[in-house]
Amino acid sequence: MKLCIIGHARHGKDTVAHLLERYGLKTQDSSRFALRKFLFAQLAPKYSYKSINEAYLDRVNRRAEWYEAIREYNQLDRARLAKELLREADIYVGMRDLEEIIACKEQGIFDWIIWVDASKRKPPEDKSSFNISPDLANVVINNNDTEEQLELRVGYFYEKMIAGL
């Protein structure tokens, strides 16, 4: 089972991914993966990062730059990073580009694309680093309530949609 979790920044994508790990799925944050793959070598000299973790923590300040760097990496195959990440994990967390998600859909990379929505309590992300909409997902998981409700929704999704296949 290969999943992609999308949604605006700070809406709970990582939380949903970690909840799905309880069912034996392995998750990988796309930002950390990109750092390991190519991005740290590109950004460390420019910003004097000493570690991948330091660069990762600073990503919020450079979202548009990261977005463009990943687009560049995927220039010849918009699904490149997703295919590479999924060799190591079951869940790709944090795709940000419309062309990338369309390429992944066309190539049948994911079994499910999940949109995490916290729009009633969190603002949308700036369009300079995110151009995906919820209509590209197979399912929307509401994250506008409590953590307990989110946990129940993720469990319901897994049991009904994934385990039921």
Side-chain angles (χ1 to χ4, degrees):
M1 184 64 48
K2 299 299 181 185
L3 309 176
C4 180
I5 300 177
I6 57 176
H8 292 290
R10 319 302 296 167
H11 278 226
K13 297 179 298 294
D14 288 318
T15 302
V16 169
H18 291 303
L19 289 169
L20 287 167
E21 284 181 325
R22 295 178 180 178
Y23 301 97
L25 298 171
K26 185 177 177 189
T27 184
Q28 180 64 246
D29 177 280
S30 59
S31 296
R32 281 196 190 276
F33 185 80
L35 275 170
R36 280 192 298 119
K37 204 70 177 152
F38 71 95
L39 199 50
F40 184 74
Q42 184 178 327
L43 296 177
K46 185 174 180 181
Y47 297 109
S48 302
Y49 295 134
K50 303 288 186 257
S51 69
I52 285 177
N53 194 52
E54 181 183 3
Y56 181 79
L57 292 173
D58 191 44
R59 76 193 185 287
V60 69
N61 298 314
R62 308 193 191 291
R63 289 189 92 69
E65 185 174 5
W66 283 50
Y67 172 80
E68 291 301 328
I70 292 170
R71 279 187 49 80
E72 172 87 16
Y73 183 78
N74 287 333
Q75 186 173 3
L76 298 178
D77 176 4
R78 291 290 179 207
R80 177 183 179 188
L81 189 68
K83 289 189 275 192
E84 292 172 356
L85 184 149
L86 292 174
R87 288 187 198 118
E88 299 179 16
D90 304 305
I91 305 172
Y92 182 116
V93 181
M95 189 170 287
R96 320 193 70 65
D97 183 62
L98 178 63
E99 290 180 14
E100 290 171 21
I101 202 157
I102 289 171
C104 288
K105 286 179 87 142
E106 288 172 350
Q107 294 179 39
I109 304 291
F110 301 114
D111 297 300
W112 288 93
I113 299 173
I114 303 163
W115 178 275
V116 179
D117 175 61
S119 60
K120 291 180 182 174
R121 56 185 189 79
K122 297 283 185 178
E125 189 164 345
D126 187 275
K127 292 180 181 179
S128 68
S129 62
F130 185 85
N131 63 1
I132 297 175
S133 61
D135 62 311
L136 293 164
N138 304 104
V139 65
V140 174
I141 294 182
N142 179 351
N143 186 20
N144 287 295
D145 303 305
T146 66
E147 286 184 38
E148 292 78 18
Q149 288 170 312
L150 178 63
E151 188 172 342
L152 289 171
R153 288 179 180 123
V154 170
Y156 181 81
F157 164 75
Y158 181 80
E159 294 299 327
K160 296 298 179 193
M161 303 297 185
I162 295 176
L165 292 179

